[in-house]
PDB file of all heavy atoms in Angstrom:
ATOM      1  N   LEU E 188      68.379 115.953 128.246  1.00  0.00           N
ATOM      2  CA  LEU E 188      69.820 115.902 128.030  1.00  0.00           C
ATOM      3  C   LEU E 188      70.349 117.121 127.282  1.00  0.00           C
ATOM      4  O   LEU E 188      71.524 117.431 127.347  1.00  0.00           O
ATOM      5  CB  LEU E 188      70.187 114.637 127.256  1.00  0.00           C
ATOM      6  CG  LEU E 188      69.937 113.332 128.005  1.00  0.00           C
ATOM      7  CD1 LEU E 188      70.304 112.154 127.137  1.00  0.00           C
ATOM      8  CD2 LEU E 188      70.732 113.298 129.290  1.00  0.00           C
ATOM      9  N   ASP E 189      69.466 117.778 126.563  1.00  0.00           N
ATOM     10  CA  ASP E 189      69.922 118.936 125.792  1.00  0.00           C
ATOM     11  C   ASP E 189      70.333 120.070 126.730  1.00  0.00           C
ATOM     12  O   ASP E 189      69.607 120.414 127.639  1.00  0.00           O
ATOM     13  CB  ASP E 189      68.807 119.451 124.878  1.00  0.00           C
ATOM     14  CG  ASP E 189      68.483 118.449 123.790  1.00  0.00           C
ATOM     15  OD1 ASP E 189      69.418 117.977 123.150  1.00  0.00           O
ATOM     16  OD2 ASP E 189      67.303 118.152 123.607  1.00  0.00           O
ATOM     17  N   GLU E 341      87.383 103.026 111.915  1.00  0.00           N
ATOM     18  CA  GLU E 341      86.399 102.033 112.353  1.00  0.00           C
ATOM     19  C   GLU E 341      85.050 102.257 111.678  1.00  0.00           C
ATOM     20  O   GLU E 341      84.327 101.306 111.391  1.00  0.00           O
ATOM     21  CB  GLU E 341      86.250 102.053 113.870  1.00  0.00           C
ATOM     22  CG  GLU E 341      87.075 100.942 114.507  1.00  0.00           C
ATOM     23  CD  GLU E 341      86.749 100.728 115.971  1.00  0.00           C
ATOM     24  OE1 GLU E 341      87.062 101.626 116.767  1.00  0.00           O
ATOM     25  OE2 GLU E 341      86.188  99.677 116.296  1.00  0.00           O
ATOM     26  N   LEU E 345      83.297  99.598 109.293  1.00  0.00           N
ATOM     27  CA  LEU E 345      81.894  99.239 109.524  1.00  0.00           C
ATOM     28  C   LEU E 345      81.103  99.334 108.229  1.00  0.00           C
ATOM     29  O   LEU E 345      80.347  98.432 107.872  1.00  0.00           O
ATOM     30  CB  LEU E 345      81.295 100.182 110.574  1.00  0.00           C
ATOM     31  CG  LEU E 345      79.800 100.027 110.790  1.00  0.00           C
ATOM     32  CD1 LEU E 345      79.524  98.802 111.638  1.00  0.00           C
ATOM     33  CD2 LEU E 345      79.223 101.267 111.442  1.00  0.00           C
ATOM     34  N   SER E 348      81.860  96.589 105.929  1.00  0.00           N
ATOM     35  CA  SER E 348      81.206  95.342 106.354  1.00  0.00           C
ATOM     36  C   SER E 348      79.736  95.342 105.957  1.00  0.00           C
ATOM     37  O   SER E 348      79.118  94.295 105.805  1.00  0.00           O
ATOM     38  CB  SER E 348      81.350  95.149 107.860  1.00  0.00           C
ATOM     39  OG  SER E 348      80.343  95.845 108.567  1.00  0.00           O
ATOM     40  N   MET E 349      79.156  96.529 105.796  1.00  0.00           N
ATOM     41  CA  MET E 349      77.760  96.632 105.362  1.00  0.00           C
ATOM     42  C   MET E 349      77.639  96.491 103.853  1.00  0.00           C
ATOM     43  O   MET E 349      76.531  96.484 103.316  1.00  0.00           O
ATOM     44  CB  MET E 349      77.188  97.998 105.772  1.00  0.00           C
ATOM     45  CG  MET E 349      77.011  98.158 107.265  1.00  0.00           C
ATOM     46  SD  MET E 349      76.621  99.868 107.671  1.00  0.00           S
ATOM     47  CE  MET E 349      76.095  99.683 109.387  1.00  0.00           C
ATOM     48  N   GLY E 350      78.774  96.423 103.165  1.00  0.00           N
ATOM     49  CA  GLY E 350      78.752  96.295 101.718  1.00  0.00           C
ATOM     50  C   GLY E 350      78.697  97.622 100.991  1.00  0.00           C
ATOM     51  O   GLY E 350      78.276  97.689  99.842  1.00  0.00           O
ATOM     52  N   ALA E 351      79.108  98.707 101.674  1.00  0.00           N
ATOM     53  CA  ALA E 351      79.035 100.036 101.071  1.00  0.00           C
ATOM     54  C   ALA E 351      80.069 100.187  99.958  1.00  0.00           C
ATOM     55  O   ALA E 351      81.175  99.642 100.039  1.00  0.00           O
ATOM     56  CB  ALA E 351      79.261 101.102 102.133  1.00  0.00           C
ATOM     57  N   GLN E 355      79.492 105.478  98.468  1.00  0.00           N
ATOM     58  CA  GLN E 355      78.648 105.553  99.670  1.00  0.00           C
ATOM     59  C   GLN E 355      79.492 105.912 100.889  1.00  0.00           C
ATOM     60  O   GLN E 355      79.064 106.705 101.735  1.00  0.00           O
ATOM     61  CB  GLN E 355      77.952 104.205  99.906  1.00  0.00           C
ATOM     62  CG  GLN E 355      76.764 103.968  98.990  1.00  0.00           C
ATOM     63  CD  GLN E 355      76.170 102.588  99.197  1.00  0.00           C
ATOM     64  OE1 GLN E 355      76.889 101.606  99.378  1.00  0.00           O
ATOM     65  NE2 GLN E 355      74.848 102.496  99.165  1.00  0.00           N
ATOM     66  N   SER E 359      78.637 109.190 103.046  1.00  0.00           N
ATOM     67  CA  SER E 359      78.107 109.031 104.398  1.00  0.00           C
ATOM     68  C   SER E 359      79.155 109.151 105.496  1.00  0.00           C
ATOM     69  O   SER E 359      78.806 109.425 106.635  1.00  0.00           O
ATOM     70  CB  SER E 359      77.421 107.669 104.537  1.00  0.00           C
ATOM     71  OG  SER E 359      76.384 107.565 103.604  1.00  0.00           O
ATOM     72  N   PRO E 363      81.024 113.988 105.632  1.00  0.00           N
ATOM     73  CA  PRO E 363      80.619 114.605 106.906  1.00  0.00           C
ATOM     74  C   PRO E 363      81.769 114.722 107.905  1.00  0.00           C
ATOM     75  O   PRO E 363      81.814 115.689 108.673  1.00  0.00           O
ATOM     76  CB  PRO E 363      79.540 113.659 107.447  1.00  0.00           C
ATOM     77  CG  PRO E 363      79.218 112.708 106.373  1.00  0.00           C
ATOM     78  CD  PRO E 363      80.264 112.777 105.325  1.00  0.00           C
ATOM     79  N   SER E 364      82.700 113.753 107.885  1.00  0.00           N
ATOM     80  CA  SER E 364      83.853 113.839 108.793  1.00  0.00           C
ATOM     81  C   SER E 364      84.678 115.083 108.515  1.00  0.00           C
ATOM     82  O   SER E 364      85.305 115.640 109.407  1.00  0.00           O
ATOM     83  CB  SER E 364      84.774 112.625 108.626  1.00  0.00           C
ATOM     84  OG  SER E 364      84.123 111.466 109.023  1.00  0.00           O
ATOM     85  N   ARG E 439      75.706 121.385 113.990  1.00  0.00           N
ATOM     86  CA  ARG E 439      74.899 121.463 115.193  1.00  0.00           C
ATOM     87  C   ARG E 439      75.190 120.296 116.141  1.00  0.00           C
ATOM     88  O   ARG E 439      75.147 120.437 117.353  1.00  0.00           O
ATOM     89  CB  ARG E 439      73.413 121.450 114.808  1.00  0.00           C
ATOM     90  CG  ARG E 439      72.481 121.965 115.846  1.00  0.00           C
ATOM     91  CD  ARG E 439      71.282 122.591 115.184  1.00  0.00           C
ATOM     92  NE  ARG E 439      70.833 121.755 114.074  1.00  0.00           N
ATOM     93  CZ  ARG E 439      69.773 120.956 114.147  1.00  0.00           C
ATOM     94  NH1 ARG E 439      69.058 120.923 115.222  1.00  0.00           N
ATOM     95  NH2 ARG E 439      69.403 120.236 113.115  1.00  0.00           N
ATOM     96  N   TRP E 440      75.524 119.151 115.552  1.00  0.00           N
ATOM     97  CA  TRP E 440      75.772 117.954 116.367  1.00  0.00           C
ATOM     98  C   TRP E 440      76.940 118.143 117.314  1.00  0.00           C
ATOM     99  O   TRP E 440      77.060 117.445 118.309  1.00  0.00           O
ATOM    100  CB  TRP E 440      76.019 116.748 115.466  1.00  0.00           C
ATOM    101  CG  TRP E 440      77.114 116.926 114.470  1.00  0.00           C
ATOM    102  CD1 TRP E 440      77.008 117.446 113.212  1.00  0.00           C
ATOM    103  CD2 TRP E 440      78.495 116.583 114.617  1.00  0.00           C
ATOM    104  NE1 TRP E 440      78.222 117.443 112.578  1.00  0.00           N
ATOM    105  CE2 TRP E 440      79.149 116.926 113.426  1.00  0.00           C
ATOM    106  CE3 TRP E 440      79.244 116.015 115.650  1.00  0.00           C
ATOM    107  CZ2 TRP E 440      80.510 116.724 113.227  1.00  0.00           C
ATOM    108  CZ3 TRP E 440      80.600 115.813 115.451  1.00  0.00           C
ATOM    109  CH2 TRP E 440      81.217 116.164 114.251  1.00  0.00           C
ATOM    110  N   VAL E 443      75.879 119.750 120.934  1.00  0.00           N
ATOM    111  CA  VAL E 443      75.010 119.081 121.904  1.00  0.00           C
ATOM    112  C   VAL E 443      75.816 118.709 123.139  1.00  0.00           C
ATOM    113  O   VAL E 443      77.036 118.599 123.087  1.00  0.00           O
ATOM    114  CB  VAL E 443      74.355 117.813 121.308  1.00  0.00           C
ATOM    115  CG1 VAL E 443      73.490 118.180 120.138  1.00  0.00           C
ATOM    116  CG2 VAL E 443      75.400 116.785 120.946  1.00  0.00           C
ATOM    117  N   GLY E 444      75.116 118.528 124.242  1.00  0.00           N
ATOM    118  CA  GLY E 444      75.781 118.253 125.510  1.00  0.00           C
ATOM    119  C   GLY E 444      76.539 116.942 125.476  1.00  0.00           C
ATOM    120  O   GLY E 444      76.291 116.081 124.644  1.00  0.00           O
ATOM    121  N   GLY E 445      77.475 116.795 126.413  1.00  0.00           N
ATOM    122  CA  GLY E 445      78.252 115.568 126.524  1.00  0.00           C
ATOM    123  C   GLY E 445      77.454 114.480 127.203  1.00  0.00           C
ATOM    124  O   GLY E 445      76.239 114.566 127.313  1.00  0.00           O
ATOM    125  N   ASN E 446      78.155 113.458 127.670  1.00  0.00           N
ATOM    126  CA  ASN E 446      77.484 112.341 128.347  1.00  0.00           C
ATOM    127  C   ASN E 446      76.708 112.813 129.567  1.00  0.00           C
ATOM    128  O   ASN E 446      77.169 113.669 130.284  1.00  0.00           O
ATOM    129  CB  ASN E 446      78.523 111.308 128.791  1.00  0.00           C
ATOM    130  CG  ASN E 446      79.002 110.483 127.622  1.00  0.00           C
ATOM    131  OD1 ASN E 446      78.427 110.548 126.536  1.00  0.00           O
ATOM    132  ND2 ASN E 446      80.050 109.731 127.832  1.00  0.00           N
ATOM    133  N   PRO E 447      75.526 112.257 129.783  1.00  0.00           N
ATOM    134  CA  PRO E 447      74.769 112.632 130.978  1.00  0.00           C
ATOM    135  C   PRO E 447      75.480 112.123 132.231  1.00  0.00           C
ATOM    136  O   PRO E 447      76.189 111.148 132.180  1.00  0.00           O
ATOM    137  CB  PRO E 447      73.436 111.911 130.801  1.00  0.00           C
ATOM    138  CG  PRO E 447      73.694 110.812 129.841  1.00  0.00           C
ATOM    139  CD  PRO E 447      74.815 111.270 128.960  1.00  0.00           C
TER     140      PRO E 447
ATOM    141  N   THR O 293      84.573  90.082 107.035  1.00  0.00           N
ATOM    142  CA  THR O 293      83.975  91.310 106.508  1.00  0.00           C
ATOM    143  C   THR O 293      84.616  91.728 105.191  1.00  0.00           C
ATOM    144  O   THR O 293      84.298  92.777 104.647  1.00  0.00           O
ATOM    145  CB  THR O 293      84.095  92.471 107.517  1.00  0.00           C
ATOM    146  OG1 THR O 293      85.463  92.618 107.892  1.00  0.00           O
ATOM    147  CG2 THR O 293      83.261  92.215 108.742  1.00  0.00           C
ATOM    148  N   HIS O 315      77.944  89.763 101.584  1.00  0.00           N
ATOM    149  CA  HIS O 315      78.021  90.325 102.926  1.00  0.00           C
ATOM    150  C   HIS O 315      77.024  89.611 103.810  1.00  0.00           C
ATOM    151  O   HIS O 315      75.891  90.016 103.957  1.00  0.00           O
ATOM    152  CB  HIS O 315      77.790  91.828 102.893  1.00  0.00           C
ATOM    153  CG  HIS O 315      78.836  92.517 102.075  1.00  0.00           C
ATOM    154  ND1 HIS O 315      80.077  92.789 102.580  1.00  0.00           N
ATOM    155  CD2 HIS O 315      78.842  92.922 100.795  1.00  0.00           C
ATOM    156  CE1 HIS O 315      80.809  93.355 101.630  1.00  0.00           C
ATOM    157  NE2 HIS O 315      80.088  93.448 100.535  1.00  0.00           N
ATOM    158  N   PHE O 319      78.211  93.372 111.496  1.00  0.00           N
ATOM    159  CA  PHE O 319      79.467  93.533 112.229  1.00  0.00           C
ATOM    160  C   PHE O 319      79.335  94.647 113.257  1.00  0.00           C
ATOM    161  O   PHE O 319      78.911  95.760 112.936  1.00  0.00           O
ATOM    162  CB  PHE O 319      80.584  93.836 111.227  1.00  0.00           C
ATOM    163  CG  PHE O 319      81.894  94.218 111.857  1.00  0.00           C
ATOM    164  CD1 PHE O 319      82.503  93.396 112.800  1.00  0.00           C
ATOM    165  CD2 PHE O 319      82.528  95.397 111.489  1.00  0.00           C
ATOM    166  CE1 PHE O 319      83.713  93.751 113.367  1.00  0.00           C
ATOM    167  CE2 PHE O 319      83.743  95.756 112.052  1.00  0.00           C
ATOM    168  CZ  PHE O 319      84.336  94.927 112.990  1.00  0.00           C
ATOM    169  N   PRO O 321      81.739  96.706 115.692  1.00  0.00           N
ATOM    170  CA  PRO O 321      83.155  96.914 116.002  1.00  0.00           C
ATOM    171  C   PRO O 321      83.393  97.175 117.500  1.00  0.00           C
ATOM    172  O   PRO O 321      82.454  97.379 118.255  1.00  0.00           O
ATOM    173  CB  PRO O 321      83.522  98.146 115.178  1.00  0.00           C
ATOM    174  CG  PRO O 321      82.248  98.853 114.937  1.00  0.00           C
ATOM    175  CD  PRO O 321      81.135  97.848 115.004  1.00  0.00           C
ATOM    176  N   GLN O 322      84.679  97.137 117.862  1.00  0.00           N
ATOM    177  CA  GLN O 322      85.055  97.273 119.282  1.00  0.00           C
ATOM    178  C   GLN O 322      84.508  98.533 119.925  1.00  0.00           C
ATOM    179  O   GLN O 322      83.855  98.483 120.958  1.00  0.00           O
ATOM    180  CB  GLN O 322      86.581  97.290 119.411  1.00  0.00           C
ATOM    181  CG  GLN O 322      87.179  95.906 119.418  1.00  0.00           C
ATOM    182  CD  GLN O 322      88.676  95.933 119.619  1.00  0.00           C
ATOM    183  OE1 GLN O 322      89.231  96.883 120.161  1.00  0.00           O
ATOM    184  NE2 GLN O 322      89.335  94.879 119.190  1.00  0.00           N
ATOM    185  N   ARG O 323      84.832  99.677 119.321  1.00  0.00           N
ATOM    186  CA  ARG O 323      84.197 100.893 119.811  1.00  0.00           C
ATOM    187  C   ARG O 323      82.900 101.021 119.017  1.00  0.00           C
ATOM    188  O   ARG O 323      82.749 100.405 117.975  1.00  0.00           O
ATOM    189  CB  ARG O 323      85.124 102.095 119.627  1.00  0.00           C
ATOM    190  CG  ARG O 323      86.289 102.016 120.637  1.00  0.00           C
ATOM    191  CD  ARG O 323      87.273 103.138 120.466  1.00  0.00           C
ATOM    192  NE  ARG O 323      87.901 103.109 119.155  1.00  0.00           N
ATOM    193  CZ  ARG O 323      87.883 104.115 118.314  1.00  0.00           C
ATOM    194  NH1 ARG O 323      87.276 105.236 118.621  1.00  0.00           N
ATOM    195  NH2 ARG O 323      88.481 104.011 117.141  1.00  0.00           N
ATOM    196  N   MET O 327      78.226 107.360 114.082  1.00  0.00           N
ATOM    197  CA  MET O 327      78.624 108.615 113.437  1.00  0.00           C
ATOM    198  C   MET O 327      78.133 109.775 114.293  1.00  0.00           C
ATOM    199  O   MET O 327      76.931 109.935 114.486  1.00  0.00           O
ATOM    200  CB  MET O 327      78.020 108.698 112.045  1.00  0.00           C
ATOM    201  CG  MET O 327      78.568 107.641 111.112  1.00  0.00           C
ATOM    202  SD  MET O 327      77.740 107.695 109.519  1.00  0.00           S
ATOM    203  CE  MET O 327      78.785 106.592 108.568  1.00  0.00           C
ATOM    204  N   PRO O 328      79.053 110.593 114.818  1.00  0.00           N
ATOM    205  CA  PRO O 328      78.642 111.647 115.758  1.00  0.00           C
ATOM    206  C   PRO O 328      77.720 112.680 115.124  1.00  0.00           C
ATOM    207  O   PRO O 328      76.999 113.376 115.837  1.00  0.00           O
ATOM    208  CB  PRO O 328      79.965 112.277 116.200  1.00  0.00           C
ATOM    209  CG  PRO O 328      80.971 111.869 115.178  1.00  0.00           C
ATOM    210  CD  PRO O 328      80.504 110.564 114.613  1.00  0.00           C
ATOM    211  N   TRP O 329      77.739 112.804 113.794  1.00  0.00           N
ATOM    212  CA  TRP O 329      76.923 113.821 113.132  1.00  0.00           C
ATOM    213  C   TRP O 329      75.536 113.312 112.771  1.00  0.00           C
ATOM    214  O   TRP O 329      74.715 114.061 112.269  1.00  0.00           O
ATOM    215  CB  TRP O 329      77.622 114.336 111.876  1.00  0.00           C
ATOM    216  CG  TRP O 329      77.936 113.252 110.903  1.00  0.00           C
ATOM    217  CD1 TRP O 329      77.106 112.728 109.950  1.00  0.00           C
ATOM    218  CD2 TRP O 329      79.169 112.511 110.804  1.00  0.00           C
ATOM    219  NE1 TRP O 329      77.738 111.720 109.274  1.00  0.00           N
ATOM    220  CE2 TRP O 329      78.999 111.579 109.766  1.00  0.00           C
ATOM    221  CE3 TRP O 329      80.390 112.576 111.483  1.00  0.00           C
ATOM    222  CZ2 TRP O 329      80.017 110.694 109.400  1.00  0.00           C
ATOM    223  CZ3 TRP O 329      81.392 111.699 111.111  1.00  0.00           C
ATOM    224  CH2 TRP O 329      81.203 110.772 110.085  1.00  0.00           C
ATOM    225  N   ARG O 331      71.917 111.561 113.982  1.00  0.00           N
ATOM    226  CA  ARG O 331      71.100 111.241 115.147  1.00  0.00           C
ATOM    227  C   ARG O 331      71.034 109.735 115.302  1.00  0.00           C
ATOM    228  O   ARG O 331      71.331 108.993 114.356  1.00  0.00           O
ATOM    229  CB  ARG O 331      69.688 111.818 114.963  1.00  0.00           C
ATOM    230  CG  ARG O 331      69.682 113.332 114.902  1.00  0.00           C
ATOM    231  CD  ARG O 331      68.295 113.852 114.563  1.00  0.00           C
ATOM    232  NE  ARG O 331      68.336 115.279 114.299  1.00  0.00           N
ATOM    233  CZ  ARG O 331      68.348 116.199 115.264  1.00  0.00           C
ATOM    234  NH1 ARG O 331      68.298 115.832 116.532  1.00  0.00           N
ATOM    235  NH2 ARG O 331      68.416 117.478 114.966  1.00  0.00           N
ATOM    236  N   GLY O 339      72.937 100.840 107.893  1.00  0.00           N
ATOM    237  CA  GLY O 339      73.124  99.588 107.156  1.00  0.00           C
ATOM    238  C   GLY O 339      72.043  99.360 106.119  1.00  0.00           C
ATOM    239  O   GLY O 339      72.299  98.882 105.019  1.00  0.00           O
ATOM    240  N   VAL O 342      72.586 101.668 103.156  1.00  0.00           N
ATOM    241  CA  VAL O 342      73.637 101.140 102.289  1.00  0.00           C
ATOM    242  C   VAL O 342      73.067 100.064 101.366  1.00  0.00           C
ATOM    243  O   VAL O 342      73.445  99.957 100.207  1.00  0.00           O
ATOM    244  CB  VAL O 342      74.810 100.588 103.136  1.00  0.00           C
ATOM    245  CG1 VAL O 342      75.745  99.752 102.296  1.00  0.00           C
ATOM    246  CG2 VAL O 342      75.571 101.728 103.798  1.00  0.00           C
ATOM    247  N   PHE O 366      65.023 108.280 122.480  1.00  0.00           N
ATOM    248  CA  PHE O 366      66.365 108.804 122.205  1.00  0.00           C
ATOM    249  C   PHE O 366      66.686 108.812 120.717  1.00  0.00           C
ATOM    250  O   PHE O 366      67.811 109.075 120.328  1.00  0.00           O
ATOM    251  CB  PHE O 366      67.420 107.994 122.958  1.00  0.00           C
ATOM    252  CG  PHE O 366      67.392 108.252 124.432  1.00  0.00           C
ATOM    253  CD1 PHE O 366      66.613 107.480 125.275  1.00  0.00           C
ATOM    254  CD2 PHE O 366      68.122 109.307 124.967  1.00  0.00           C
ATOM    255  CE1 PHE O 366      66.573 107.737 126.630  1.00  0.00           C
ATOM    256  CE2 PHE O 366      68.091 109.571 126.319  1.00  0.00           C
ATOM    257  CZ  PHE O 366      67.302 108.791 127.157  1.00  0.00           C
ATOM    258  N   TYR O 370      71.740 112.885 119.569  1.00  0.00           N
ATOM    259  CA  TYR O 370      73.022 112.581 118.946  1.00  0.00           C
ATOM    260  C   TYR O 370      73.785 111.610 119.851  1.00  0.00           C
ATOM    261  O   TYR O 370      73.570 111.591 121.072  1.00  0.00           O
ATOM    262  CB  TYR O 370      73.828 113.861 118.742  1.00  0.00           C
ATOM    263  CG  TYR O 370      73.295 114.706 117.617  1.00  0.00           C
ATOM    264  CD1 TYR O 370      72.529 115.828 117.875  1.00  0.00           C
ATOM    265  CD2 TYR O 370      73.562 114.376 116.294  1.00  0.00           C
ATOM    266  CE1 TYR O 370      72.032 116.607 116.839  1.00  0.00           C
ATOM    267  CE2 TYR O 370      73.076 115.138 115.257  1.00  0.00           C
ATOM    268  CZ  TYR O 370      72.309 116.256 115.529  1.00  0.00           C
ATOM    269  OH  TYR O 370      71.822 117.008 114.502  1.00  0.00           O
ATOM    270  N   ALA O 372      76.622 111.648 121.166  1.00  0.00           N
ATOM    271  CA  ALA O 372      77.336 112.279 122.282  1.00  0.00           C
ATOM    272  C   ALA O 372      76.430 112.501 123.484  1.00  0.00           C
ATOM    273  O   ALA O 372      76.910 112.712 124.592  1.00  0.00           O
ATOM    274  CB  ALA O 372      77.950 113.603 121.830  1.00  0.00           C
ATOM    275  N   GLN O 373      75.120 112.461 123.274  1.00  0.00           N
ATOM    276  CA  GLN O 373      74.190 112.707 124.379  1.00  0.00           C
ATOM    277  C   GLN O 373      73.825 111.432 125.122  1.00  0.00           C
ATOM    278  O   GLN O 373      73.052 111.471 126.073  1.00  0.00           O
ATOM    279  CB  GLN O 373      72.908 113.361 123.832  1.00  0.00           C
ATOM    280  CG  GLN O 373      73.149 114.724 123.216  1.00  0.00           C
ATOM    281  CD  GLN O 373      71.914 115.233 122.488  1.00  0.00           C
ATOM    282  OE1 GLN O 373      71.538 114.713 121.450  1.00  0.00           O
ATOM    283  NE2 GLN O 373      71.291 116.249 123.053  1.00  0.00           N
ATOM    284  N   LEU O 374      74.353 110.286 124.663  1.00  0.00           N
ATOM    285  CA  LEU O 374      73.992 109.011 125.270  1.00  0.00           C
ATOM    286  C   LEU O 374      75.122 108.473 126.141  1.00  0.00           C
ATOM    287  O   LEU O 374      76.294 108.771 125.909  1.00  0.00           O
ATOM    288  CB  LEU O 374      73.680 107.993 124.159  1.00  0.00           C
ATOM    289  CG  LEU O 374      72.216 107.871 123.738  1.00  0.00           C
ATOM    290  CD1 LEU O 374      71.655 109.205 123.321  1.00  0.00           C
ATOM    291  CD2 LEU O 374      72.082 106.858 122.625  1.00  0.00           C
ATOM    292  N   ARG O 386      71.994  98.619 115.476  1.00  0.00           N
ATOM    293  CA  ARG O 386      72.413  98.922 114.108  1.00  0.00           C
ATOM    294  C   ARG O 386      72.888  97.651 113.401  1.00  0.00           C
ATOM    295  O   ARG O 386      72.680  97.478 112.195  1.00  0.00           O
ATOM    296  CB  ARG O 386      73.549  99.955 114.152  1.00  0.00           C
ATOM    297  CG  ARG O 386      74.109 100.343 112.798  1.00  0.00           C
ATOM    298  CD  ARG O 386      75.347 101.207 112.946  1.00  0.00           C
ATOM    299  NE  ARG O 386      76.385 100.502 113.683  1.00  0.00           N
ATOM    300  CZ  ARG O 386      77.427 101.070 114.255  1.00  0.00           C
ATOM    301  NH1 ARG O 386      77.589 102.374 114.170  1.00  0.00           N
ATOM    302  NH2 ARG O 386      78.310 100.368 114.919  1.00  0.00           N
ATOM    303  N   GLN O 390      70.242  94.954 110.249  1.00  0.00           N
ATOM    304  CA  GLN O 390      70.663  94.626 108.890  1.00  0.00           C
ATOM    305  C   GLN O 390      70.170  93.249 108.479  1.00  0.00           C
ATOM    306  O   GLN O 390      70.232  92.891 107.309  1.00  0.00           O
ATOM    307  CB  GLN O 390      72.191  94.674 108.783  1.00  0.00           C
ATOM    308  CG  GLN O 390      72.774  96.046 108.978  1.00  0.00           C
ATOM    309  CD  GLN O 390      74.293  95.996 108.977  1.00  0.00           C
ATOM    310  OE1 GLN O 390      74.912  95.613 107.992  1.00  0.00           O
ATOM    311  NE2 GLN O 390      74.893  96.338 110.106  1.00  0.00           N
ATOM    312  N   ARG O 392      71.318  90.228 108.881  1.00  0.00           N
ATOM    313  CA  ARG O 392      72.285  89.321 108.250  1.00  0.00           C
ATOM    314  C   ARG O 392      72.227  87.967 108.945  1.00  0.00           C
ATOM    315  O   ARG O 392      71.845  87.884 110.121  1.00  0.00           O
ATOM    316  CB  ARG O 392      73.695  89.888 108.384  1.00  0.00           C
ATOM    317  CG  ARG O 392      73.852  91.303 107.814  1.00  0.00           C
ATOM    318  CD  ARG O 392      73.743  91.300 106.327  1.00  0.00           C
ATOM    319  NE  ARG O 392      74.211  92.578 105.778  1.00  0.00           N
ATOM    320  CZ  ARG O 392      74.112  92.912 104.500  1.00  0.00           C
ATOM    321  NH1 ARG O 392      73.537  92.081 103.655  1.00  0.00           N
ATOM    322  NH2 ARG O 392      74.562  94.057 104.071  1.00  0.00           N
TER     323      ARG O 392
END
Side-chain angles (χ1 to χ4, degrees):
Chain E
L188 294 179
D189 293 311
E341 261 192 292
L345 173 77
S348 84
M349 291 170 167
Q355 283 176 320
S359 301
S364 295
R439 199 150 43 103
W440 55 272
V443 298
N446 284 349
Chain O
T293 54
H315 299 280
F319 172 54
Q322 277 183 23
R323 288 177 298 124
M327 295 176 170
W329 57 85
R331 296 174 189 279
V342 167
F366 288 91
Y370 286 102
Q373 297 171 290
L374 267 56
R386 179 188 60 198
Q390 294 175 62
R392 304 291 194 187

